[in-house]
Amino acid sequence: MDNNRVTRRARIALAIAAGAALTAVAAQIPANATAGSAAPHRADGASTAQKPSGTADGTSYDDTYYKDAEGKTGQALKDALHKIISSTQTGKLSYDEVWDALKETDQDPDNSANVILLYTGRSQSKDAHGGNPDDWNREHVWAKSHGDFGTDTGPGTDIHHLRPEDVSVNSIRGNKDFDNGGSKVDEAPGSLSDDDSFEPRDAVKGDVARMILYMAVRYDGGDGFPDLEPNDKVDNGTQPHIGRLSVLKKWSEQDAPDAFEKHRNQVIFDKFQHNRNPFIDHPEWVDEIW
């Protein structure tokens, strides 16, 4: 027999065998996989695969932190979340300690020497805080006069609703309820204000709503604090209410939690209060309760 013919046949047989092996391997790879889709590893051998989405660092707390709230709706969900976020709030700050906490929770991701002011959106030096018109101070998003809870440790120092804000803009907001409409606020582009309400810029409308709703779940009349609850009114005065609830719900829907808000929630959980704002992790729970 011709030796060349034998060699050709042998090569064909090897090619067929190799093709079969590649087909077998390919059958084990998911159809949507791409080259290099296996979890990469760092030089130290640790996996760098992405964690499940949900929070700023990709961690999901549904099976741990929120396990007692899963599957509930309405008042049962609100009660379960109250128990979770109040029992895990093991870190409680004094009003003086809020200054340093806000320097971490609201740090400008592009400039570690600055904080981002809530309503103005301005990046400002962490050290430029105090009482002068262009300083930043501690804004109570749930105005402390709505329930008259002051600045003692409790709702008055809960950094889930305390944010850095320009002194003069903070004064314009005052203790007004939240609603749509009004005149432009010069130092806070996109914000509007009238005699009885304040409308923040679009980028933080959802943030404001979720902070208000967190407060309503966290403070329900126990621990010597007032029972905070949003309503659909404005000009609530010293009553433990803030409105308008219908507007806040729309704001939460229109402005989903972004990376800054999620990161802030995580910093509060990890470093300060050790509880979470559930409406940042689960915005859909707003409609489940209200």
Side-chain angles (χ1 to χ4, degrees), residues 79-124:
D79 291 344
L81 291 176
H82 167 74
K83 185 175 181 180
I84 291 167
I85 65 177
S86 58
S87 64
T88 58
Q89 190 184 351
T90 55
K92 298 181 180 181
L93 306 178
S94 70
Y95 199 43
D96 283 340
E97 290 171 331
V98 168
W99 288 117
D100 288 334
L102 294 182
K103 292 176 184 179
E104 292 196 53
T105 59
D106 291 75
Q107 179 175 291
D108 183 345
D110 297 321
N111 184 348
S112 61
N114 286 10
V115 291
I116 300 292
L117 308 189
L118 176 64
Y119 304 132
T120 67
R122 187 170 75 236
S123 178
Q124 183 157 320

Coordinates of all heavy atoms in Angstrom, one line a residue, residues 79-124:
D79 N -44.2 46.2 59.5 CA -43.8 45.7 60.8 C -42.5 44.9 60.8 O -41.7 45.1 61.7 CB -45.0 44.9 61.4 CG -46.2 45.7 61.7 OD1 -46.1 47.0 61.7 OD2 -47.3 45.1 61.9
A80 N -42.4 44.0 59.8 CA -41.2 43.2 59.8 C -39.9 44.1 59.5 O -38.9 43.9 60.1 CB -41.3 42.2 58.7
L81 N -40.1 45.0 58.6 CA -38.9 45.9 58.3 C -38.6 46.8 59.5 O -37.4 47.0 59.8 CB -39.2 46.8 57.1 CG -39.3 46.1 55.8 CD1 -39.7 47.0 54.6 CD2 -38.0 45.4 55.4
H82 N -39.6 47.3 60.2 CA -39.3 48.1 61.4 C -38.5 47.2 62.4 O -37.5 47.8 63.0 CB -40.6 48.5 62.1 CG -40.4 49.0 63.5 ND1 -39.9 50.3 63.7 CD2 -40.6 48.5 64.7 CE1 -39.8 50.5 65.0 NE2 -40.2 49.4 65.7
K83 N -38.9 46.0 62.7 CA -38.2 45.2 63.6 C -36.7 45.0 63.1 O -35.8 45.0 64.0 CB -38.9 43.8 63.8 CG -38.3 42.9 64.8 CD -39.1 41.7 65.0 CE -38.5 40.8 66.1 NZ -39.3 39.6 66.3
I84 N -36.5 44.7 61.9 CA -35.2 44.5 61.3 C -34.3 45.7 61.5 O -33.2 45.6 62.0 CB -35.3 44.1 59.8 CG1 -35.9 42.7 59.7 CG2 -33.9 44.1 59.2 CD1 -36.3 42.4 58.3
I85 N -34.8 46.9 61.0 CA -33.9 48.0 60.9 C -33.7 48.7 62.3 O -32.7 49.4 62.5 CB -34.4 49.1 59.9 CG1 -35.7 49.7 60.2 CG2 -34.4 48.4 58.5 CD1 -36.2 50.8 59.2
S86 N -34.7 48.5 63.2 CA -34.5 49.0 64.6 C -33.6 48.1 65.4 O -32.7 48.6 66.2 CB -35.8 49.3 65.3 OG -36.6 48.1 65.3
S87 N -33.8 46.8 65.3 CA -33.0 45.9 66.1 C -31.5 45.9 65.7 O -30.6 45.6 66.5 CB -33.6 44.5 66.1 OG -33.5 44.0 64.8
T88 N -31.2 46.1 64.4 CA -29.9 46.1 63.9 C -29.2 47.4 64.0 O -28.0 47.5 63.7 CB -29.8 45.6 62.4 OG1 -30.6 46.5 61.6 CG2 -30.3 44.2 62.3
Q89 N -29.9 48.5 64.4 CA -29.2 49.8 64.5 C -28.5 49.9 65.8 O -28.8 50.5 66.8 CB -30.3 50.9 64.4 CG -29.6 52.3 64.3 CD -30.6 53.4 64.3 OE1 -31.8 53.2 64.3 NE2 -30.1 54.7 64.4
T90 N -27.4 49.2 65.9 CA -26.5 49.1 67.1 C -25.6 50.3 67.2 O -25.0 50.5 68.3 CB -25.8 47.8 67.1 OG1 -25.0 47.7 65.9 CG2 -26.7 46.6 67.2
G91 N -25.4 51.0 66.1 CA -24.6 52.2 66.2 C -25.4 53.4 66.2 O -26.1 53.7 65.2
K92 N -25.4 54.2 67.3 CA -26.3 55.4 67.3 C -25.4 56.6 67.7 O -24.6 56.6 68.6 CB -27.4 55.2 68.4 CG -28.3 54.1 68.0 CD -29.4 53.9 69.1 CE -30.3 52.7 68.7 NZ -31.4 52.5 69.6
L93 N -25.5 57.6 66.8 CA -24.5 58.7 66.9 C -25.1 59.9 67.7 O -26.3 60.1 67.9 CB -24.3 59.2 65.5 CG -23.8 58.2 64.5 CD1 -23.6 58.9 63.1 CD2 -22.5 57.6 64.9
S94 N -24.1 60.7 68.3 CA -24.5 62.0 68.8 C -24.6 63.0 67.7 O -24.1 62.7 66.6 CB -23.4 62.4 69.8 OG -22.2 62.7 69.1
Y95 N -25.1 64.1 68.0 CA -25.3 65.1 66.9 C -23.9 65.6 66.4 O -23.7 65.9 65.3 CB -26.1 66.3 67.4 CG -26.7 67.1 66.2 CD1 -27.2 66.5 65.1 CD2 -26.8 68.5 66.3 CE1 -27.7 67.2 64.0 CE2 -27.3 69.3 65.3 CZ -27.8 68.6 64.1 OH -28.3 69.4 63.1
D96 N -22.9 65.7 67.3 CA -21.6 66.1 67.0 C -20.9 65.1 66.1 O -20.2 65.4 65.1 CB -20.7 66.4 68.2 CG -21.0 67.7 68.9 OD1 -21.6 68.6 68.2 OD2 -20.7 67.9 70.1
E97 N -21.2 63.8 66.4 CA -20.5 62.7 65.6 C -21.1 62.7 64.1 O -20.4 62.1 63.2 CB -20.8 61.4 66.2 CG -20.0 61.2 67.5 CD -20.4 60.0 68.3 OE1 -21.5 59.5 68.2 OE2 -19.5 59.4 69.0
V98 N -22.2 63.3 63.9 CA -22.8 63.3 62.6 C -21.9 64.0 61.6 O -21.8 63.6 60.4 CB -24.2 64.0 62.6 CG1 -24.7 64.3 61.2 CG2 -25.2 63.1 63.3
W99 N -21.2 65.1 62.0 CA -20.3 65.8 61.1 C -19.3 64.9 60.4 O -19.2 64.9 59.2 CB -19.5 66.9 61.9 CG -20.3 68.1 62.3 CD1 -20.4 68.5 63.6 CD2 -20.9 69.1 61.5 NE1 -21.1 69.7 63.7 CE2 -21.4 70.1 62.4 CE3 -21.0 69.3 60.2 CZ2 -22.1 71.2 62.0 CZ3 -21.7 70.4 59.7 CH2 -22.3 71.4 60.6
D100 N -18.6 64.1 61.2 CA -17.6 63.2 60.7 C -18.2 62.1 59.9 O -17.7 61.6 58.9 CB -16.7 62.7 61.8 CG -15.8 63.7 62.3 OD1 -15.4 64.7 61.6 OD2 -15.4 63.6 63.5
A101 N -19.4 61.6 60.3 CA -20.0 60.5 59.6 C -20.4 61.0 58.2 O -20.2 60.2 57.2 CB -21.3 60.1 60.3
L102 N -21.0 62.2 58.0 CA -21.4 62.7 56.7 C -20.2 62.9 55.8 O -20.3 62.8 54.6 CB -22.1 64.0 56.9 CG -23.5 63.9 57.6 CD1 -24.2 65.3 57.6 CD2 -24.4 62.9 56.9
K103 N -19.0 63.1 56.4 CA -17.8 63.3 55.5 C -17.5 61.9 54.8 O -16.8 61.9 53.8 CB -16.6 63.7 56.4 CG -16.8 65.2 56.9 CD -15.6 65.6 57.8 CE -15.8 66.9 58.4 NZ -14.7 67.3 59.3
E104 N -17.9 60.8 55.4 CA -17.7 59.5 54.8 C -18.9 59.1 53.9 O -18.7 58.6 52.8 CB -17.4 58.5 55.8 CG -16.0 58.7 56.5 CD -15.6 57.4 57.3 OE1 -15.6 56.4 56.7 OE2 -15.3 57.6 58.5
T105 N -20.1 59.2 54.5 CA -21.2 58.8 53.7 C -21.5 59.5 52.4 O -22.0 59.0 51.5 CB -22.5 58.8 54.6 OG1 -22.7 60.2 55.0 CG2 -22.4 58.0 55.8
D106 N -21.2 60.8 52.4 CA -21.5 61.7 51.3 C -20.2 62.1 50.6 O -20.2 63.1 49.8 CB -22.3 62.8 51.7 CG -23.7 62.4 52.1 OD1 -23.8 61.8 53.2 OD2 -24.6 62.6 51.3
Q107 N -19.1 61.4 50.7 CA -17.9 61.8 50.1 C -18.0 61.8 48.5 O -18.7 60.9 48.0 CB -16.8 60.8 50.5 CG -15.4 61.0 49.8 CD -14.4 60.1 50.3 OE1 -14.0 60.2 51.5 NE2 -13.9 59.2 49.5
D108 N -17.4 62.8 47.9 CA -17.4 62.9 46.5 C -16.6 61.8 45.9 O -15.4 61.6 46.2 CB -16.8 64.2 46.1 CG -16.9 64.5 44.6 OD1 -17.1 63.5 43.8 OD2 -16.6 65.6 44.1
P109 N -17.2 60.9 45.1 CA -16.4 59.7 44.6 C -15.2 60.2 43.7 O -14.3 59.4 43.5 CB -17.4 58.9 43.8 CG -18.5 59.9 43.5 CD -18.6 60.8 44.6
D110 N -15.2 61.4 43.2 CA -14.2 61.9 42.3 C -13.2 62.8 43.1 O -12.2 63.2 42.5 CB -14.7 62.7 41.2 CG -15.6 61.9 40.3 OD1 -15.2 60.7 40.0 OD2 -16.7 62.3 39.8
N111 N -13.5 63.1 44.4 CA -12.6 64.0 45.1 C -12.8 63.6 46.6 O -13.7 64.1 47.2 CB -12.8 65.4 44.9 CG -11.9 66.4 45.6 OD1 -11.1 66.0 46.5 ND2 -11.9 67.6 45.2
S112 N -11.9 62.9 47.2 CA -12.0 62.4 48.6 C -11.9 63.5 49.6 O -12.2 63.2 50.8 CB -11.0 61.3 48.9 OG -9.7 61.8 48.7
A113 N -11.5 64.7 49.2 CA -11.5 65.8 50.1 C -12.8 66.5 50.2 O -13.0 67.4 51.1 CB -10.4 66.8 49.7
N114 N -13.8 66.1 49.4 CA -15.1 66.9 49.3 C -16.2 66.0 49.6 O -16.2 64.7 49.6 CB -15.3 67.4 47.9 CG -14.4 68.6 47.6 OD1 -13.5 68.9 48.4 ND2 -14.6 69.3 46.5
V115 N -17.4 66.6 49.9 CA -18.7 66.0 50.0 C -19.6 66.5 48.9 O -19.3 67.6 48.4 CB -19.3 66.1 51.4 CG1 -18.6 65.4 52.5 CG2 -19.5 67.6 51.8
I116 N -20.6 65.8 48.6 CA -21.6 66.2 47.6 C -22.8 66.7 48.4 O -23.4 66.0 49.2 CB -22.1 65.1 46.7 CG1 -20.9 64.6 45.9 CG2 -23.2 65.6 45.7 CD1 -20.3 65.5 44.9
L117 N -23.2 68.0 48.1 CA -24.4 68.6 48.8 C -25.7 68.1 48.2 O -25.8 68.0 47.0 CB -24.3 70.1 48.8 CG -22.9 70.7 49.3 CD1 -23.1 72.2 49.4 CD2 -22.5 70.1 50.6
L118 N -26.6 67.8 49.0 CA -27.8 67.1 48.5 C -28.6 67.9 47.5 O -28.9 67.4 46.4 CB -28.7 66.7 49.7 CG -30.1 66.1 49.4 CD1 -29.9 64.7 48.7 CD2 -30.9 66.0 50.6
Y119 N -29.1 69.0 47.8 CA -30.0 69.8 46.9 C -29.2 70.6 45.8 O -29.7 70.7 44.7 CB -30.8 70.8 47.7 CG -31.7 70.1 48.8 CD1 -31.7 70.6 50.1 CD2 -32.4 69.0 48.6 CE1 -32.5 70.1 51.1 CE2 -33.2 68.4 49.6 CZ -33.2 68.9 50.8 OH -33.9 68.3 51.8
T120 N -28.0 71.1 46.2 CA -27.3 71.9 45.2 C -26.5 71.0 44.2 O -26.3 71.3 43.1 CB -26.3 72.8 45.9 OG1 -25.3 72.0 46.5 CG2 -27.0 73.7 46.9
G121 N -26.1 69.8 44.7 CA -25.3 68.9 43.9 C -23.8 69.3 43.8 O -23.0 68.7 43.1
R122 N -23.5 70.4 44.6 CA -22.2 70.9 44.6 C -21.2 70.1 45.4 O -21.5 69.5 46.4 CB -22.2 72.3 45.2 CG -20.9 73.1 45.1 CD -21.1 74.6 45.4 NE -21.2 74.8 46.9 CZ -22.3 75.4 47.5 NH1 -23.3 75.8 46.7 NH2 -22.3 75.6 48.8
S123 N -20.0 69.9 44.8 CA -18.9 69.3 45.5 C -18.1 70.3 46.3 O -17.7 71.3 45.8 CB -17.9 68.6 44.5 OG -16.9 68.0 45.2
Q124 N -18.1 70.1 47.6 CA -17.5 71.1 48.5 C -16.6 70.5 49.6 O -16.8 69.3 50.0 CB -18.6 71.9 49.2 CG -18.2 73.0 50.1 CD -19.3 74.0 50.3 OE1 -20.0 74.4 49.4 NE2 -19.4 74.6 51.5

